Amino acid sequence: MKRMALSGLTALATLFGSSAMAVEIEYWQYFFDARVDAMEQLIEKFEEANPDITVKMTHFPYADYRTKVAAAIPAGEGPDVVQLFYGWLNDYIEADLIQPLPKDQFDPAAIDAEFFPMVQAMKRDGAYYALPTAVRSLALFYNTRLFDEAGIENPPETLDELVEAAKKLTKVDGAGNITQVGITTGMTAQDHHWWREVLVRQFGGEPYKEDYKTVNYTDDAGLAALNFYVDLEKEHKVTQSGFMDEPQAAFKGNRAGMHIDGSFRIGSLNKVRGLKWGVAELPAGPDGKRSNYSSYWVNGITSKAEGEKYDAAVKFLQYLTSDEAMQLWLDVVGELPAKPSVGMVEANANDPTFGPFIRGLAYANTTKFANESAQRQAMVDMVARIDIEGQDPAESLAAAAAEEQKILDDYYK
Amino acid sequence: MSAYKNLSIRQKQIVWAWLFLAIPVLFYVVIRFYPTGTAFVISFQEWNLLGKRTWTGLENYEKLWNDPVFWKVFRNTFAYLLLGTPVSLVISFVIAYHLDKTRFLHGFLRMLYFLPFMTSAVAMAWVWRWFYQPVPIGLFNNMLASIGIPQIEFLNSTTNALPSILAPAIWAGLGFQVIIFMAGLRAIPVSYYEAAKIDGVGWWTVLTRITLPLLKPTIVFIVVFSSIGFLRIFDHVFNMTTNNPGGPLNSTKPLVLMIYETAFSSFDMGYAAAQTVVLFLILLVVSLLQLWILQGDNT
C-alpha cells in the first residue's frame, strides 16, 4: 500500500515536472481552408524549432468567431494568440482582450522600418498591439481571351485607357441589353474600397481627415471620383451594376473584360476552367497618381496569456511575422507578405500574378473603419440613389457623407 | 420519505404532476423565458459583445424612434404582412376548394402543392433570385427579351423588389395552408351540403352560408399563423439580396433583417435587443388583435 502511494507520488511528480518544461499555447483563427493549411505547416515548423512548446490550433466558422473570442478570453479559456481583423483592433483593446506586444522583442521603430506602412494602424500610444503575417491589396484582373478578341494589346495604364478598353469589350444585343460588360462594377463588392481609397485620391482628394474620424470626400475631388464611377454605367455604358448578380461571377463566366478585386480572389479564379486571365496594377489617375487599398488580418497576444505561456506566445508571434512564415503564407494562401523584405524580392515583385498586388502595397492606404459594413452601405446607397432614383450625384454624395459621418461620430463619441 | 407517505392520494397526484411538468417548465424557463428576459435587459444597455455592458436607460429606444431606417423597415414589415397574408389566404383557399372537389390524381396534386413547403427557403430563394436576374442570365428577363418586351428590373428597383421577394415567400407557404384548409373543408359535415342540395341553393350561397362560416376556426388559425410568418420574414429577403441585404435603398428590409444586421455586423447588441423587443410587442399585439377580431363574435 505504502509502496503504491509512493510510486503514485513519483509518477505525479514526473508529470508535473515535465509539464513545467513543456508549454502548450492555443491559437485561434476563423475557418478558411488555405489559411488553416498554411497555419498547420507553420505550427509544425515552429514546434520543430521549439520542442518545448506545443501550439494547439482551433478554428471556427467566421460567423461565430467574434462571439466565441469574446466569451472565452474573459473566462480564461480562450486562445493565447488570436487572429483578428485589423478593423476590430479598437474594440479588442477597449475590451481588454489583447495586450500590447513587448517593446524589447517587437521594437516599434524596427517594425515601422521593416513592414509596409499600413501596419502602423496597429500602433497605439507608441506600442504595437498586433501584427499581420500577410496583407491583401487590389488589382485589375483582365480576361486575356476577350482582350485578344477586342484587339487590345496591354491592360490599361490610366483611367482614360480603362474607359477606352471597356468600350471595346462591351457587347450589346439587338434590344440594347448588355450581354458582356467591359468592366464589372458593384459597390457591394470591392468597389467601395476602389472608390474611397483609390479614385478619390486620384482625383486629388483625401477621403477622410483626422485619422479617419472625419469624412472629407464632399469636395470637388470626391464629386469627380463619383462622377467617373457612375459615368461608367450612365455615360459610357460599359457596365451595369448587378450584372450577372455578382461582379466576380460575371468575370468567372467570361462575360466581363475587366474586374477589380483583391488578392484573395486568385485562388478561386485559378479553379475556373476555361478562364484565361491576367493581373495589372490599378490604373493611374488623371495626373498619373497611383493608389491602392490594403486590408489584413493580424495576430495578437490575448490578455489570458501569462507567465511562461506569455513567453511562448511571444516566440510564436515572432515566428508568425518572420520572413519565412510570410513566404510560406504567400505560397499556400496567396496572400501577400507584410514586409517589403519578402514582398519586394525579385521573384515575388515580378511574379506575373502576385507582382501587381505587391507593387500596389507600396502606395496602399488602409481605411480605419468604425463599422465596415455600415460604411460600405453608405456607398452602396449613394450609387443606388443615382442609379435607381435619378438623384443628382452631388446631392447623393452629400447624403452619403452625412450618413457615414454619423456612424463615425457614434463610434468615436 | 414519510412526509410523502402521509399525503393523500390527491396530493400525491399533484406532486407527480408537478414532477413531470417540471421538465418542460425548466426547459421553457432556460431556453425561452431566460433569453427573452435577458433581451429586455440588454435593450437598456450598450454592449458590443466584447466589452462590458453599460447601462444607458432608454437611449436605444430613443435612437430607434429617431432612426429613419427603422420607420422604413417598419413600413416594409407591415407591407409584407398586409400584402402577404390576404393574398396567400385567398390563393390557398381557392386551391384547397377546388382540390377538394378533384378526384383525379388527388393525392399527387396535393403532394405537388405541398412540396415547396418542404424545400429549404435558402435554396428556393437562390433559384428565384436567378429567375429575376437581368439579361443574359435571368430566366424571366430572357423570356421577355426573346419575345421583344423590354426587361423588367425585378430586384434592382425600389418599387418592384418587395413584391418580387414576397411572391416566392407566399408560394413557399402555400402548401401548408392548402393542407390546413382541406382538413377544415373535410371537417364540415356532409349533411349540411345534402340539405342545401335538396333545398336547391346555388353554389355561391353554399359557399358564403355554409362553407366559409364553418371554416372560421381554420381561417383564424391560418391568419394568425401566416401573419406571424410574414412579420418574421427573413430567409427569403436575406438570400435574395445578400449582396445588399434588404436593398436596394432598404426597400425590402424587414425588421428581423435589421435586427440581424445591427447585432451581427454592427455588433450593437443593445440596439438590436431594443428592436427585438419592438418586434416582440408588434407580434403580440397583432396576434391578440386578430384573435379578438376573428373569434370575438363567434356566435
Side-chain angles (χ1 to χ4, degrees):
Chain A
M1 189 68 200
K2 217 174 188 178
R3 197 182 294 169
M4 251 173 75
L6 205 69
S7 66
L9 268 178
T10 24
L12 261 179
T14 40
L15 204 75
F16 277 111
S18 65
S19 76
M21 283 195 313
V23 194
E24 187 188 82
I25 54 169
E26 256 194 81
Y27 176 75
W28 280 17
Q29 70 169 334
Y30 79 97
F31 181 77
F32 185 80
D33 226 352
R35 288 169 161 261
V36 171
D37 187 25
M39 192 48 78
E40 269 166 4
Q41 296 183 34
L42 287 177
I43 289 173
E44 206 181 297
K45 290 187 183 199
F46 176 73
E47 285 177 348
E48 239 168 64
N50 299 278
D52 53 333
I53 303 173
T54 40
V55 182
K56 191 180 145 209
M57 174 171 59
T58 312
H59 43 75
F60 300 100
Y62 179 72
D64 303 343
Y65 191 67
R66 187 167 160 128
T67 330
K68 297 255 188 196
V69 172
I73 297 174
E77 281 168 2
D80 302 287
V81 179
V82 68
Q83 191 186 63
L84 56 139
F85 188 59
Y86 81 91
W88 299 348
L89 190 78
N90 277 338
D91 292 345
Y92 271 66
I93 294 175
E94 239 170 66
D96 238 356
L97 291 177
I98 56 173
Q99 36 185 329
L101 306 177
K103 280 186 185 167
D104 45 340
Q105 275 106 334
F106 291 92
D107 177 22
I111 294 172
D112 287 347
E114 285 171 13
F115 280 71
F116 281 114
M118 68 254 175
V119 304
Q120 283 164 23
M122 298 297 102
K123 195 155 71 171
R124 293 287 179 285
D125 306 321
Y128 275 91
Y129 272 77
L131 279 174
T133 303
V135 296
R136 308 152 155 195
S137 66
L138 300 176
L140 181 78
F141 289 87
Y142 60 95
N143 188 317
T144 47
R145 222 177 62 203
L146 298 182
F147 263 55
D148 288 346
E149 205 180 280
I152 306 167
E153 306 226 318
N154 293 308
E157 273 290 311
T158 64
L159 291 178
D160 289 337
E161 285 178 35
L162 176 94
V163 174
E164 286 316 306
K167 280 180 183 165
K168 289 182 194 158
L169 290 160
T170 308
K171 282 184 190 163
V172 178
D173 69 6
N177 299 318
I178 290 189
T179 54
Q180 176 179 307
V181 291
I183 180 167
T184 61
T185 46
M187 281 287 181
T188 52
Q190 300 296 313
D191 281 5
H192 69 111
H193 297 308
W194 184 44
W195 186 81
R196 189 189 274 123
E197 291 292 359
V198 183
L199 291 178
V200 170
R201 288 178 193 277
Q202 287 181 333
F203 282 91
E206 194 190 340
Y208 300 86
K209 280 228 150 64
E210 293 169 62
D211 203 23
Y212 288 92
K213 287 177 189 159
T214 307
V215 174
N216 188 44
Y217 49 69
T218 43
D219 54 3
D220 292 345
L223 187 60
L226 179 61
N227 276 327
F228 171 81
Y229 185 80
V230 293
D231 277 352
L232 287 173
E233 178 163 348
K234 281 198 173 315
E235 178 79 24
H236 307 301
K237 305 200 187 318
V238 294
T239 186
Q240 185 187 325
S241 72
F243 180 76
M244 284 183 73
D245 202 28
E246 288 178 326
Q248 68 268 26
F251 189 74
K252 284 180 185 172
N254 280 311
R255 293 268 191 175
M258 294 176 281
H259 171 57
I260 288 170
D261 212 330
S263 35
F264 45 82
R265 195 70 66 195
I266 295 170
S268 73
L269 289 180
N270 271 332
K271 285 184 196 141
V272 183
R273 286 173 66 188
L275 179 69
K276 289 200 181 118
W277 52 276
V279 192
E281 280 176 76
L282 291 180
D287 52 1
K289 186 176 163 60
R290 289 204 182 263
S291 184
N292 206 315
Y293 163 76
S294 166
S295 72
Y296 44 95
W297 284 75
V298 290
N299 294 302
I301 298 174
T302 68
S303 46
K304 179 207 154 200
E306 282 168 359
E308 52 187 4
K309 286 197 179 218
Y310 178 77
D311 298 336
V314 169
K315 265 191 186 169
F316 185 53
L317 195 59
Q318 272 181 322
Y319 179 67
L320 288 186
T321 50
S322 67
D323 291 10
E324 184 193 343
M326 288 182 187
Q327 185 64 48
L328 187 140
W329 202 266
L330 174 69
D331 295 338
V332 177
V333 188
E335 287 183 322
L336 320 166
K339 281 188 213 168
S341 60
V342 194
M344 297 312 247
V345 297
E346 196 60 21
N348 290 335
N350 290 329
D351 184 282
T353 308
F354 297 122
F357 290 101
I358 294 174
R359 292 197 296 275
L361 288 176
Y363 46 80
N365 296 285
T366 296
T367 320
K368 283 187 191 170
F369 287 109
N371 177 349
E372 187 180 356
S373 62
Q375 286 175 265
R376 182 188 66 176
Q377 193 62 47
M379 315 270 102
V380 173
D381 291 348
M382 171 173 76
V383 172
R385 280 191 300 265
I386 301 168
D387 181 26
I388 301 175
E389 298 186 326
Q391 196 179 29
D392 176 60
E395 272 174 41
S396 192
L397 183 74
E403 202 176 312
E404 197 177 355
Q405 189 59 55
K406 195 165 161 284
I407 297 164
L408 295 173
D409 288 344
D410 275 353
Y411 186 78
Y412 292 111
K413 73 182 171 196
Chain B
M1 211 53 210
S2 64
Y4 178 73
K5 271 182 192 162
N6 293 336
L7 295 176
S8 69
I9 289 181
R10 186 166 162 69
Q11 283 167 328
K12 280 181 185 169
Q13 278 175 339
I14 293 172
V15 168
W16 278 104
W18 272 108
L19 209 66
F20 282 114
L21 271 177
I23 295 162
V25 165
L26 201 73
F27 178 79
Y28 256 84
V29 167
V30 174
I31 302 290
R32 286 275 185 191
F33 302 144
Y34 171 68
T36 311
T38 315
F40 274 93
V41 175
I42 293 175
S43 75
F44 296 106
Q45 295 173 329
E46 194 180 318
W47 185 36
N48 70 353
L49 263 185
L50 296 179
K52 287 188 184 67
R53 299 192 203 168
T54 43
W55 198 262
T56 56
L58 286 172
E59 203 175 278
N60 286 322
Y61 290 95
E62 276 170 34
K63 189 172 161 191
L64 201 61
W65 182 262
N66 295 318
D67 188 348
V69 177
F70 170 71
W71 291 109
K72 175 86 193 144
V73 163
F74 192 81
R75 278 196 294 276
N76 291 341
T77 309
F78 277 92
Y80 283 115
L81 171 76
L82 296 176
L83 287 172
T85 305
V87 170
S88 71
L89 194 75
V90 170
I91 298 179
S92 61
F93 176 74
V94 171
I95 292 171
Y97 184 76
H98 288 100
L99 200 58
D100 189 48
K101 298 198 182 330
T102 313
R103 292 285 160 270
F104 181 67
L105 287 180
H106 177 86
F108 179 69
L109 286 173
R110 205 167 50 176
M111 184 202 75
L112 284 187
Y113 278 107
F114 196 66
L115 222 49
F117 184 71
M118 306 199 308
T119 315
S120 141
V122 178
M124 199 187 301
W126 278 80
V127 171
W128 278 79
R129 175 175 168 174
W130 162 59
F131 286 172
Y132 285 143
Q133 288 304 317
V135 176
I137 54 166
L139 182 81
F140 294 157
N141 276 324
N142 274 351
M143 287 187 335
L144 290 177
S146 66
I147 51 172
I149 298 174
Q151 49 174 328
I152 298 171
E153 292 278 11
F154 287 103
L155 294 175
N156 189 28
S157 153
T158 43
T159 44
N160 298 347
L162 192 142
S164 299
I165 289 174
L166 192 58
I170 290 175
W171 177 67
L174 222 53
F176 176 74
Q177 300 192 6
V178 167
I179 295 290
I180 301 288
F181 259 130
M182 282 181 57
L185 287 169
R186 294 274 156 112
I188 299 171
V190 188
S191 53
Y192 292 178
Y193 291 112
E194 283 166 350
K197 210 173 195 176
I198 291 165
D199 289 346
V201 212
W203 72 271
W204 177 250
T205 316
V206 172
L207 179 70
T208 51
R209 292 298 161 96
I210 300 175
T211 311
L212 285 179
L214 286 171
L215 270 180
K216 198 162 182 185
T218 314
I219 296 174
V220 171
F221 174 77
I222 291 179
V223 166
V224 172
F225 229 73
S226 77
S227 305
I228 294 174
F230 284 116
L231 284 173
R232 295 195 312 186
I233 190 167
F234 173 79
D235 339 24
H236 285 93
V237 188
F238 185 67
N239 285 293
M240 289 174 76
T241 60
T242 40
N243 290 336
N244 180 9
L249 297 172
N250 297 318
S251 61
T252 62
K253 192 178 281 177
L255 200 45
V256 182
L257 181 52
M258 188 183 182
I259 294 170
Y260 174 82
E261 284 195 321
T262 314
F264 300 109
S265 56
S266 299
F267 302 109
D268 194 347
M269 292 297 155
Y271 194 33
Q275 293 162 9
T276 312
V277 169
V278 169
L279 176 66
F280 172 79
L281 294 177
I282 294 174
L283 284 170
L284 191 71
V285 169
V286 168
S287 306
L288 290 178
L289 250 159
Q290 283 173 342
L291 284 171
W292 181 66
I293 291 171
L294 290 162
Q295 252 172 355
D297 56 345
N298 212 351
T299 42

